[in-house]
Amino acid sequence: MIECRGVSFSYDGAAPALDGVDLNIEDGEFFCILGGNGSGKSTFAKHLNALLRPDAGTVCVNGMDASDPELVYDIRSTAGMVFQNPDDQLVATLVEDDVAFGPENLGVPSAQIAQRVREALKGVGLVGFERHETHALSGGQKQRVALAGVLAMEPRVLILDEASSMLDPRGRKGLMKACRALHDRGMTIVMITHFMEEAAEADRVAVFQAGRVAMLGTPEEILTRADELAQLNLDMPASCCLGRALREKGVPVHAQVREVDMVAEIAQAYAERSGADTAGQSSASQLEIADGTVPVDNEDNASEPVIELSHVSYSYSLSPRERHRWHKRSATAGKSNKQALWGNDPSSPWALRDVSLTVRRGEFLGLAGHTGSGKSTLVQHLNGLIRPQEGSVRALELDLSNKKDAAAVKAKVGVVFQYPERQLFAETVAQDVAFGPHNLGLPQDEVDRRVESSLSRVGLDLSTVGDKSPFELSGGQQRRVAFAGVLAMEPEVLVLDEPMAGLDPAARRDFLGLIDRLHREGLTVVMVSHSMDDLANCCDRIVVMNEGAVFAAVSYTHLRAHETT
């Protein structure tokens, strides 16, 4: 289906983004591409549907030369691509119009377009969202709209460039199930990912390094090579790590790349060692321990609150009169038509509903929840970017319903959004980091001090990068500059909305270490993440959101003690 021979490409004519790539992808194959940030994965993907043309070498898609301008339409009809950030791909105001955009441009008859839109939305778990406005969707929901728009074009090749990076764990499982179904029907899948569990499902895996194919083989051949993967800033799947750890402890198991295979391997080894009856008793005993009651927080000894939300509700679509009608409905009336695979309630208009929450000084608070649960809307309330339609928010003892107070709080509660490098705009790094302090009216010597200090705190040297354009830096460096721009405001609270999205495993660990260090230096941190591992490793307390409401709030120090017990 795809044949690449000697493919080389450079964005600036000097540094190669691709350097002599030779690769075949078979018709109907599920092919996965791994690699650290900057290894050339996305650049390669853009060659597969003629978004880029090679400087040297050839790319053929279903026998068509991707360098031939007369074949671009046919190639893009054959190979559909979903980008990492859905905002780069959405074009229409309403969900159904966006999904219909591709088929309309292919000249598909209207009756068929309507059918394709229905099937595509069903495939990504967005039935019921047809008339929703795309701008009001969560990041994960936008990603699924982008995927549906490509599926509605019925391509023979589906190219996914980190398409799961914005999805919650259930959403990623839904995406993988949809991909397997398409693969079973004969579609060629090319998936770029940093999630090793996704790569384990592929037929073959290629690992890129510095624009070249460094490793190529089956998941079993590639994903078990821990030392080589580590050198390429990658990890083994969690199931492999578990298998190796158990084997080091004397358990007779072999590391498996797929979780289901690892579970079966452990179960077999346990049964052989203990006997079926004993294993059953031990499992029941351990489950009883693991299912015990977790102590709730004791707020009597808690530190002072820095942000307090009281009965906050917010809707992007309801008028005040409509909100009043909704409140009069019973909690169970019309309860959802949820699609269990993806975790949606298209009938609910609430982004937040009756949320009460306290952020305490000096704590590291984690926010978890499924895609569309209200996490991003919640964090935008924390410094007055959004003001509650109902309820109240107080930050640093100021009422955020007051415009003057809300403006004052923005300097002390810094928010770093998803893909923070998209907050960059200035000609040089130093100018970008200085923008906030300048707007505070600080003298130039204080601005200079803050710029140098904040860059140093994120591991960058002013003399090395200060005069460079932020857009000349690597993705990881751009993210650090965006962090520095917020830190230069010297906030008391740092709010992070999925700050590790799209990073390779090594860069992810690096950023977690950076955030943890900032917390230990005295910052109060609120971090939104879909990674329960990241939250477990960093947070003092975790709040779980569900359908716009607080589902649970637990001190993680209690959980750690409970886990030890």
Side-chain angles (χ1 to χ4, degrees):
M1 176 57 70
I2 296 171
E3 185 178 14
C4 302
R5 289 287 173 269
V7 176
S8 295
F9 180 82
S10 173
Y11 288 99
D12 60 5
L18 295 177
D19 189 8
V21 174
D22 292 313
L23 201 60
N24 285 346
I25 299 174
E26 302 301 322
D27 188 10
E29 186 173 21
F30 194 146
F31 194 88
C32 188
I33 299 175
L34 303 173
N37 294 121
S39 61
K41 306 183 302 298
S42 295
T43 301
F44 177 72
K46 290 173 184 175
H47 280 77
L48 303 187
N49 70 342
L51 284 172
L52 295 176
R53 298 177 188 173
D55 296 331
T58 59
V59 177
C60 288
V61 179
N62 198 27
M64 297 178 286
D65 186 347
S67 296
D68 188 341
E70 295 186 2
L71 297 176
V72 167
Y73 179 88
D74 293 327
I75 289 171
R76 292 183 186 163
S77 301
T78 301
M81 184 169 176
V82 181
F83 297 108
Q84 184 175 13
N85 191 321
D87 290 323
D88 294 339
Q89 198 154 357
L90 302 183
V91 295
T93 303
L94 298 179
V95 168
E96 63 180 359
D97 293 340
D98 199 278
V99 177
F101 181 80
E104 285 176 346
N105 280 280
L106 293 177
V108 176
S110 298
Q112 290 185 30
I113 290 176
Q115 178 64 23
R116 287 193 186 190
V117 169
R118 283 193 295 272
E119 290 300 316
L121 289 175
K122 181 179 178 182
V124 300
L126 286 177
V127 171
F129 283 80
E130 290 83 358
R131 303 297 296 173
H132 284 225
E133 295 185 353
T134 53
H135 77 89
L137 299 177
S138 71
Q141 289 168 333
K142 287 179 180 179
Q143 188 64 283
R144 283 149 53 194
V145 173
L147 175 59
V150 172
L151 294 179
M153 297 171 68
E154 296 186 352
R156 290 188 61 182
V157 181
L158 177 62
I159 305 164
L160 303 168
D161 186 8
E162 289 280 356
S164 62
S165 63
M166 301 287 288
L167 300 181
D168 58 41
R170 180 164 49 179
R172 289 201 296 272
K173 289 180 181 177
L175 174 63
M176 290 305 297
K177 184 172 182 179
C179 287
R180 283 193 294 269
L182 294 168
H183 179 235
D184 290 343
R185 297 209 302 262
M187 182 178 287
T188 304
I189 309 286
V190 181
M191 174 177 279
I192 296 172
T193 184
H194 286 139
F195 293 105
M196 301 300 114
E197 292 75 17
E198 295 175 359
E201 300 293 327
D203 297 322
R204 280 193 303 152
V205 175
V207 181
F208 274 51
Q209 181 187 33
R212 297 182 178 182
V213 177
M215 302 167 72
L216 179 65
T218 65
E220 290 76 13
E221 292 169 340
I222 301 300
L223 300 181
T224 55
R225 293 153 68 176
D227 294 339
E228 293 174 68
L229 290 173
Q231 291 176 1
L232 299 173
N233 291 339
L234 301 175
D235 291 331
M236 293 190 303
S239 58
C240 282
C241 296
L242 175 60
R244 283 168 60 100
L246 288 173
R247 193 166 182 83
E248 289 173 2
K249 295 292 186 181
V251 181
V253 295
H254 296 282
Q256 302 290 335
V257 298
R258 294 178 181 84
E259 182 179 300
V260 63
D261 296 334
M262 194 68 247
V263 170
E265 181 98 1
I266 294 170
Q268 181 179 349
Y270 195 71
E272 290 174 354
R273 171 176 289 191
S274 304
D277 292 338
T278 307
Q281 292 170 6
S282 297
S283 297
S285 174
Q286 291 190 12
L287 283 172
E288 185 179 346
I289 294 171
D291 201 32
T293 302
V294 178
V296 297
D297 291 330
N298 180 1
E299 298 202 9
D300 294 338
N301 297 321
S303 58
E304 64 172 302
V306 289
I307 302 176
E308 295 177 282
L309 291 83
S310 179
H311 302 289
V312 172
S313 294
Y314 191 86
S315 171
Y316 289 97
S317 59
L318 294 181
S319 67
R321 179 176 294 181
E322 289 170 329
R323 292 200 300 271
H324 179 70
R325 290 173 183 167
W326 267 89
H327 282 309
K328 293 176 69 174
R329 300 184 186 187
S330 68
T332 57
K335 188 71 177 172
S336 101
N337 161 23
K338 283 191 255 185
Q339 301 166 55
L341 184 62
W342 300 87
N344 290 308
D345 183 2
S347 66
S348 174
W350 296 102
L352 294 177
R353 188 166 191 179
D354 196 29
V355 171
S356 295
L357 177 66
T358 298
V359 180
R360 302 163 191 160
R361 185 172 297 281
E363 79 170 331
F364 197 136
L365 176 66
L367 285 177
H370 62 77
T371 296
S373 63
K375 304 183 300 298
S376 293
T377 303
L378 174 61
V379 299
Q380 290 180 73
H381 278 77
L382 301 185
N383 75 342
L385 287 171
I386 294 178
R387 279 182 267 174
Q389 296 162 337
E390 299 174 13
S392 65
V393 181
R394 293 185 63 82
L396 304 172
E397 300 184 351
L398 298 176
D399 184 352
L400 297 193
S401 63
N402 180 292
K403 286 186 178 181
K404 184 177 180 181
D405 287 352
V409 163
K410 285 183 175 65
K412 291 300 181 182
V413 180
V415 178
V416 179
F417 296 103
Q418 295 168 340
Y419 298 103
E421 57 270 25
R422 292 175 180 263
Q423 295 174 227
L424 303 176
F425 63 93
E427 291 184 6
T428 70
V429 167
Q431 290 173 355
D432 206 290
V433 177
F435 180 78
H438 271 308
N439 281 346
L440 294 177
L442 299 174
Q444 188 59 47
D445 60 342
E446 175 62 12
V447 171
D448 293 342
R449 183 194 69 78
R450 291 193 180 195
V451 169
E452 184 174 8
S453 173
S454 60
L455 284 171
S456 176
R457 291 176 78 184
V458 300
L460 295 175
D461 180 60
L462 175 62
S463 62
T464 303
V465 301
D467 293 331
K468 291 185 177 180
S469 166
F471 307 105
E472 294 177 4
L473 304 179
S474 69
Q477 289 175 317
Q478 287 182 355
R479 194 160 293 196
R480 288 174 181 270
V481 172
F483 267 52
V486 174
L487 294 176
M489 303 284 285
E490 296 192 350
E492 295 181 36
V493 182
L494 183 62
V495 181
L496 308 166
D497 190 1
E498 289 282 359
M500 269 76 71
L503 295 180
D504 62 50
R508 190 181 195 92
R509 286 191 295 272
D510 193 23
F511 266 87
L512 277 176
L514 167 63
I515 296 165
D516 185 58
R517 177 165 52 80
L518 293 173
H519 172 242
R520 285 187 275 107
E521 290 174 0
L523 271 178
T524 301
V525 178
V526 179
M527 185 172 79
V528 175
S529 180
H530 284 141
S531 170
M532 300 307 288
D533 287 339
D534 292 348
L535 296 177
N537 288 329
C538 294
C539 297
D540 305 313
R541 191 161 58 104
I542 297 174
V543 171
V544 182
M545 300 291 294
N546 182 44
E547 295 183 9
V550 174
F551 173 75
V554 178
S555 167
Y556 197 69
T557 54
H558 290 153
L559 287 179
R560 289 193 184 101
H562 185 66
E563 181 182 78
T564 302
T565 304

